Amino acid sequence: MTNEGGTHVKTTLTGVEVGIDVTGSEKVWRTFQAIGDIAFAYAFSTVLIEIQDTLRSSPPENRSMKKATFAGIMTTTTFYILCGCVGYAAFGNNAPGNFLTGFGFYEPFWLIDLANVCIAIHLIGAYQVFCQPIYGLVEGFCNKRWPENKFISREYAMNIPFHGVYYLSPFKLVWRTAYVVVTTLVAMIFPFFNDFLGLLGAASFWPLTVYFPIEMHIVQSKIPKYSFRWNMLKILSGACLIVSIVAAAGSIQGLATDVKTYKPFKTQ
């Protein structure tokens, strides 16, 4: 295939070729890492639960979220497939993990800036949703552990124009700010984006997306033990567990490889 610059890019049906582009073991590890990246895409299921938890009970949450979930999944799936297919068609086996800057593409600058703004908007919202359980866990523990501490338990009423009264907690302000600062610094120090993404996907995919939903469905539907349906669900859960283990192994190997050439605050 030929890209815009007129140079030919190397593409093969099975990806990079063993013995030419990578060794056999490297291709296996990369395949495992890719499985972890794919598993991370299923993290929407945990976000969906958090969103449904904030909805009113009438109408039912599943009915309220049905259209929104369908639109969201179709949109993200379309973009993921386009990035994968178009990126591979343009750059072949050398397609980078980060299409924005992974191959030295920085012009036009406005396009990169626009893409980064979209990423920031997306991650700010996702960050808030994912952090709420951590905030709730720490704040609930501190309130039970030190109920008489005024810094932790007291809230101050603030009258905000066009909004009304807002209750400000000094403890929440300090603790949440410190958490965001620390996690941001850690992300800047260890910029192994793809491998960390795969590891997070592998760690969360089986327990949160497969195991717990299946077990809850079995209990709720009262599926008889050792029945055909019960066995199929257990096989599915076991297969997904193997996928998570394989993906985690590939991501850990990728992190170990990245550490060898690691430089703090440098993008990998």
Side-chain angles (χ1 to χ4, degrees):
M1 301 183 69
T2 305
N3 60 17
E4 185 180 353
T7 60
H8 292 275
V9 295
K10 184 179 179 181
T11 59
T12 55
L13 183 61
T14 56
V16 293
E17 296 184 11
V18 175
I20 300 177
D21 300 311
V22 294
T23 64
S25 60
E26 286 176 341
K27 179 160 185 176
V28 171
W29 286 121
R30 287 189 182 186
T31 303
F32 290 172
Q33 293 166 18
I35 292 174
D37 291 337
I38 295 172
F40 184 80
Y42 286 86
F44 85 92
S45 60
T46 55
V47 178
L48 177 63
I49 295 174
E50 290 293 329
I51 295 175
Q52 288 183 339
D53 189 49
T54 64
L55 298 178
R56 294 176 296 180
S57 57
S58 181
E61 294 89 340
N62 60 342
R63 188 182 305 168
S64 301
M65 290 299 298
K66 188 174 182 179
K67 292 182 179 179
T69 303
F70 177 79
I73 294 175
M74 288 300 297
T75 302
T76 54
T77 300
T78 301
F79 276 103
Y80 284 171
I81 291 177
L82 284 176
C83 284
C85 295
V86 175
Y88 184 67
F91 305 105
N93 294 346
N94 293 324
N98 186 345
F99 282 138
L100 288 178
T101 58
F103 46 87
F105 171 75
Y106 297 102
E107 294 181 0
F109 294 105
W110 65 266
L111 181 60
I112 300 298
D113 293 338
L114 177 62
N116 286 328
V117 169
C118 293
I119 292 173
I121 294 174
H122 163 66
L123 291 181
I124 288 172
Y127 190 90
Q128 292 300 318
V129 174
F130 276 106
C131 287
Q132 290 306 315
I134 299 175
Y135 292 156
L137 177 65
V138 173
E139 291 159 9
F141 171 80
C142 292
N143 283 323
K144 291 181 180 179
R145 184 67 175 80
W146 300 285
E148 304 298 329
N149 190 307
K150 295 182 179 180
F151 175 74
I152 295 176
S153 59
R154 178 170 293 182
E155 293 183 345
Y156 299 89
M158 299 178 60
N159 190 6
I160 301 178
F162 308 106
H163 180 272
V165 179
Y166 178 79
Y167 293 93
L168 176 65
S169 169
F171 171 68
K172 290 182 179 180
L173 177 63
V174 173
W175 138 246
R176 295 188 181 194
T177 302
Y179 177 83
V180 172
V181 170
V182 170
T183 54
T184 302
L185 286 175
V186 171
M188 293 171 64
I189 295 173
F190 302 103
F192 310 132
F193 180 74
N194 283 343
D195 293 321
F196 264 126
L197 203 68
L199 184 59
L200 291 174
S204 62
F205 172 66
W206 180 73
L208 299 180
T209 306
V210 181
Y211 176 74
F212 285 119
I214 285 179
E215 293 301 315
M216 288 188 290
H217 173 69
I218 291 175
V219 173
Q220 184 183 39
S221 302
K222 298 180 180 179
I223 300 176
K225 197 172 184 179
Y226 301 119
S227 63
F228 176 79
R229 188 176 180 183
W230 186 91
N231 288 327
M232 290 299 101
L233 289 173
K234 289 295 184 179
I235 291 173
L236 174 63
S237 180
C240 291
L241 173 60
I242 295 174
V243 170
S244 291
I245 294 174
V246 165
S251 299
I252 292 173
Q253 190 275 340
L255 288 172
T257 303
D258 290 338
V259 168
K260 297 177 181 178
T261 57
Y262 163 67
K263 294 181 180 179
F265 301 102
K266 296 292 185 180
T267 302
Q268 294 293 314

